[in-house]
Every structure is written in structure tokens, then in C-alpha cells.
Amino acid sequence: MKDTQIKKLIAAENKRQKGVINLIASENYVSKDVLEALGSELTNKYAEGYPGHRYYRGTGVVDDVERLAQERAFELFKLNPEEWSVNVQPLSGSPANVAVYTGLVPFGGRIMGMALEHGGHLTHGQKVSVTGKFWTQVPYFVEKGSERLNYGEIQKIAIAEKPVLIVAGFTAYAHVIDFKKFREIADACGAYLMVDMSHFAGLVAGGVYPPPFAYADVVTTTTHKTLRGPRSALIFTRKDKRELNKLVNRAVFPGMQGGPHVNQIAAVAVALKEASTPAFKKYAEQVVKNAKVLADELGKLGWRVVEGGTETHLLRIDVWQNGKGIGGREAADKLEAAGIIVNENTIPFDTRTPKDPSGLRLGSAPETTRGKKEKDFVAIARKIDTVLRSR
Ligand code: DSN
């Protein structure tokens, strides 16, 4: 690379990544093949439209790229293209979710999503996101005490508020979601069910988390978390006489986006193929085992694990401990100084602010990619404990 300033910064970031223990629950490390596709000449091509229906010439090759990504997405999640459509063009998770709402929910209409501090995402209708400005969020919460989803309570809210669309899928919920129950709730109030599987898509691909497709109308996912691809997103829409897929696809293009990032789509295709291998299945199994060990060991060391444990790649611990501990921000800073990278996170019914909440969120996906096993995660838990207790 001739640009020495950027070259230096890339080298510095590479060195930083190699030198730390990365427990960011939404990050991962992609393969060289994914990086190669991202850095390819495909970035030079404009291809507004969809395969076979573009607004630019010279799109024969990129049509093949996009179709291949679609085929691989169907194969990986065992979907019949007669029953599902997949849009591989969303630039990332937030635009994907906004596109679904744009297609399916009239402006001002109600979107029911988990409150942010309980584990929801900004784009599930929070006020500070456009999803809370263009639409109206009906929040639901986890239950006090267990900190788990209480489907009966969620159903009561849904029936009372009659949302147009219900979102299931969270950024900080550590347990398996009962999609069948969410379907029943959506049917009870006549809402669409959208599952945002961004966090656990790789676990679904690896067979260690139940797939949501039998129950959802729409499934969105980012591709860069447990799925271990480039930063991007997919939208799966059920194909039936309601023609939701047409509404969603039109919302992506021409509704929200211009030319798709074809290099990114190619990199997604590479990642989807990688995720269909036996090696990836083993990886997903190890991700969950490692997160469980991390939760168990931190629990043994005296840290309160939110929800009492994990069934996925992530967990939250309460570091504030009702004023006996330290704030999440201070805890994350201390860990960073010791080479452990995490993010501060709210915990359900948090008494502190999102900027300096009571908890930390920890994830096992990136370090599992680097080959770490249960014994390494025991050591990581002990190191976290030592650092957090140091004065
Ligand atoms: N930023 C992602 C996460 O960390 O979960 C969600 O957008």
C-alpha cells in the first residue's frame, strides 16, 4: 500500500487485535478469504437493482455474485426459495431492520420490541433511533428476578397495544428464545413477527440454537457476529400471497439504498459457505461451551451473572452490585488497561445510566475463533476477577 498513514493505522489495529483478549459479544475474526473478497475489484461496480433487473450495464458477473450469496443463504439455513426470499443487499443490521419496518409498518405504526436496557437493540423502536421517531415503540421487558422473558406478560402487552409488528431477538439476552410462543403472541394480536437473529445467527447455522424460520414472517441478521462474516446483513422474508417479500425488497432498493456493495456481498457469500462446514458446527458448539464456562467461573468467583447463566455466546455480569462494586464504565476501562476488551452494558432494571451502567457484556465468539477452549475461559474469568477486584 502506498498510503503509508493508512498502512500504519491498519498495522496498528492488527497489532492491537492480536494483543488483546476480545470478549466483545458482537465481534469476530473473519478468514483471509473473506478479507480478500472485501478488498476485491467488485467494489468498483455499480449495480442498482436486483439480479436480472439492474439499472446499469456490465452487471453479468455481479448478478452471479448476488445469486450465489442468495443460494448459499438458503442452503445454510435450509430454506426453500419457493417459500422464502432473501435480500443480501442491506449494508448492515440497522438499515436492514429499518427497511423491514419501512416495507411493513405504516409511519407512526406500532413496533413492539424489547426495551434497550433489558437487552433490546436501538432499532427495535428505541426513541433515540429513527425507529422510535418514524414508528412508535411498544416496549416489553424481562421479568424481575429471573431476568428472563415472561411470554404471558408479553402477550398481555401485545393484546392491549395491538402492534403492527413484534420483534424477537436481542443484543444482550443470554437464553434461547421460544419462537413458537412469539408466533402465538403475534397471532393473538394480528402482528407480523420479525426475528432479529443478528447475535445468534452463527449458532443457528452451527445447529446449537433453534432456527426461527418456522415461526417468523421476516428474519433479519447481521453477518459479522457469531456468523463470522464481513459487516453486512440479510433479510429473509416469507413468500406467500401477502407478498411481504416484494414490500421488503422495494424498501431496501429503491426505498433506502442505492448501489449494493458487491464486494461485501461476495464476502458474505464466502462466509456463508464457511459456516456450512463441519468445522463451523464444531466452532459454534465450542462458542457456547466457552460462554457457559465463563459464566460459571465468574459466578463461582462471586460475580452475579444476569439471568443466572447463558445458553448462547454471551452473558452479562453485574459489576455494580447495588453500590458494593464499581460502575460498568470503570470496570470496562480497567479491563482494557489489562488487555481484556469488553463493553459496559445495562442490566435489566438498571439503576444507573446507559453511559455508565451496572453491567458488562461478555461474549465468547472471537476468542473461540482463535482456538480458545474451556480451560482458557476459566483462566480468562480468573483474570477478569483479579483485575476488577484490584484497587
Ligand atoms: N452493536 C451491536 C452489538 O454490539 O450488539 C448491535 O448493533
Side-chain angles (χ1 to χ4, degrees):
M1 183 184 283
K2 292 200 196 88
D3 186 330
T4 51
Q5 280 176 296
I6 286 295
K7 188 173 176 174
K8 253 195 209 155
L9 289 171
I10 292 173
E13 174 57 13
N14 199 358
K15 187 166 170 222
R16 184 201 68 78
Q17 290 185 10
K18 290 200 167 113
V20 297
I21 294 170
N22 183 2
L23 301 179
I24 302 278
S26 47
E27 290 185 8
N28 216 323
Y29 297 107
V30 300
S31 68
K32 285 250 175 329
D33 284 5
V34 168
L35 285 179
E36 207 173 301
L38 272 178
S40 70
E41 291 76 4
L42 291 166
T43 197
N44 299 333
K45 188 68 197 109
Y46 242 116
E48 283 184 6
Y50 289 107
H53 307 278
R54 305 283 189 187
Y55 294 84
Y56 290 77
R57 300 300 112 203
T59 48
V61 175
V62 300
D63 275 5
D64 289 347
V65 170
E66 187 162 343
R67 286 196 181 108
L68 187 57
Q70 290 172 322
E71 272 166 35
R72 289 181 177 178
F74 289 134
E75 268 165 37
L76 180 62
F77 293 108
K78 300 180 179 60
L79 298 174
N80 178 351
E82 299 294 314
E83 292 168 10
W84 286 88
S85 120
V86 62
N87 193 310
V88 297
Q89 295 193 4
L91 303 177
S92 206
S94 295
N97 288 350
V98 174
V100 174
Y101 308 149
T102 303
L104 304 187
V105 186
F107 286 126
R110 292 179 182 188
I111 293 168
M112 187 162 156
M114 171 105 88
L116 188 64
E117 68 275 21
H118 285 232
H121 186 250
L122 284 168
T123 61
H124 296 175
Q126 316 300 328
K127 276 264 179 319
V128 292
S129 145
V130 294
T131 62
K133 300 186 199 305
F134 297 167
W135 297 279
T136 307
Q137 193 203 37
V138 175
Y140 61 91
F141 310 93
V142 293
E143 188 178 60
K144 241 186 177 139
S146 73
E147 297 170 316
R148 308 263 185 104
L149 296 168
N150 178 328
Y151 296 93
E153 286 305 312
I154 297 170
Q155 175 147 343
K156 276 188 207 153
I157 299 172
I159 289 173
E161 301 286 343
K162 294 193 181 40
V164 178
L165 180 146
I166 299 176
V167 186
F170 318 105
T171 63
Y173 188 69
H175 284 83
V176 165
I177 299 165
D178 188 334
F179 298 118
K180 185 165 183 277
K181 289 237 169 77
F182 265 107
R183 177 76 262 165
E184 287 163 10
I185 295 168
D187 286 343
C189 66
Y192 298 122
L193 178 60
M194 172 179 127
V195 174
D196 179 346
M197 66 168 186
S198 295
H199 263 274
F200 50 85
L203 306 183
V204 173
V208 293
Y209 196 103
F213 297 97
Y215 304 105
D217 297 298
V218 183
V219 177
T220 61
T221 184
T222 51
T223 48
H224 46 273
K225 298 184 173 84
T226 50
L227 197 52
R228 212 163 62 180
R231 310 192 77 83
S232 191
L234 307 172
I235 306 174
F236 297 90
T237 311
R238 190 179 283 284
K239 268 185 183 168
D240 56 27
K241 58 179 188 309
R242 298 174 298 173
E243 302 201 316
L244 304 182
N245 55 311
K246 287 194 179 161
L247 298 173
V248 169
N249 288 341
R250 257 186 248 135
V252 173
F253 176 84
M256 284 183 52
Q257 296 185 182
H261 296 186
V262 187
N263 56 323
Q264 194 186 24
I265 293 172
V268 168
V270 172
L272 293 170
K273 187 169 182 196
E274 290 173 355
S276 66
T277 58
F280 192 88
K281 187 170 170 38
K282 276 205 181 132
Y283 164 71
E285 286 164 2
Q286 193 64 49
V287 164
V288 176
K289 282 184 199 160
N290 288 346
K292 283 187 180 193
V293 165
L294 184 60
D296 286 352
E297 191 64 20
L298 285 166
K300 281 185 207 154
L301 292 165
W303 297 96
R304 192 178 78 76
V305 179
V306 174
E307 300 170 49
T310 182
E311 296 174 321
T312 63
H313 62 298
L314 67 79
L315 55 129
R316 282 176 290 175
I317 57 169
D318 176 359
V319 287
W320 177 239
Q321 314 205 79
N322 292 322
K324 287 185 235 108
I326 55 176
R329 182 163 279 268
E330 187 186 344
D333 284 346
K334 278 178 110 167
L335 288 172
E336 182 169 10
I340 300 178
I341 308 299
V342 302
N343 68 279
E344 56 269 42
N345 213 105
T346 51
I347 61 172
F349 309 99
D350 210 322
T351 52
R352 296 168 63 85
T353 63
K355 278 197 178 148
D356 188 8
S358 298
L360 296 178
R361 184 182 65 162
L362 314 174
S364 59
E367 291 302 324
T368 307
T369 293
R370 288 167 152 172
K372 293 208 170 64
K373 297 265 175 13
E374 288 94 322
K375 66 174 186 348
D376 305 302
F377 274 83
V378 169
I380 291 171
R382 291 182 183 162
K383 188 165 178 195
I384 291 173
D385 178 63
T386 306
V387 172
L388 291 182
R389 292 190 195 282
S390 67
R391 287 284 156 192

